[in-house]
Every structure is written in structure tokens, then in C-alpha cells.
Amino acid sequence: GDQGDYPFNYCDSVGELYSEFERVGCDVKYGRTSTEGYYHVGSKAQVDEEQPIFYGLCCDENQQPDQSEDRCKKWIAQLKSEEFFA
């Protein structure tokens, strides 16, 4: 995603995939992440306007490339703690 150039639809594809996976019966409770530290206006990837949570991990290689590796490491650890890989 690129929250600088696309602040109104940052990582929308994450939300679109979430909706499709949910529609076909997948367990979509895993891997949600905080929106803290992101500077977007709107996103289908965000659970809703009231909850500062993304349906998954969103990385911005254009605006915040220096944060992606740490975010990925934390997300993988989170998925392990949620027993996603079990």
C-alpha cells in the first residue's frame, strides 16, 4: 500500500480479500493489526471507523519502508501466538 498517494483507499485489497474469504466460510479471525503509526484517511482494510484495527498486516514500502521488517516480524509472532500455524 501507499498511504501517501492513496490515503482514502490505503490497502483496500486487504479488506476485499477479507470479505471474500469470509463469504466462502474461511476463519478470518487471525492476524489483525493496529492502525497506529499509519497515516491514512480511509481503508477497506480497517475493521471500521470506530476500531483502529486492520484485518491483516499492511506494509507501506513507499512511505514507511523502514518499518516493514519489524512489522512483519511482530505479525509472524502474533500469528504464532494466535495458533494460526497449528
Side-chain angles (χ1 to χ4, degrees):
D2 182 349
Q3 59 195 319
D5 291 331
Y6 302 98
F8 293 96
N9 56 356
Y10 175 64
C11 285
D12 275 355
S13 59
V14 172
E16 291 172 9
L17 286 170
Y18 169 86
S19 295
E20 187 62 20
F21 289 146
E22 185 179 50
R23 185 187 70 76
V24 297
C26 294
D27 187 353
V28 290
K29 67 182 177 195
Y30 299 99
R32 294 183 181 194
T33 60
S34 172
T35 61
E36 185 176 333
Y38 294 86
Y39 304 100
H40 65 289
V41 177
S43 176
K44 291 180 183 177
Q46 190 167 328
V47 174
D48 61 43
E49 291 182 17
E50 302 300 317
Q51 295 185 48
I53 299 170
F54 287 130
Y55 287 117
L57 177 63
C58 296
C59 291
D60 187 340
E61 288 297 307
N62 294 309
Q63 307 298 324
Q64 298 175 324
D66 58 319
Q67 296 185 36
S68 294
E69 184 175 349
D70 188 50
R71 286 175 173 162
C72 287
K73 287 178 181 178
K74 288 179 181 177
W75 192 55
I76 291 169
Q78 175 187 334
L79 289 170
K80 287 179 180 178
S81 72
E82 294 173 347
E83 299 182 349
F84 176 78
F85 300 109

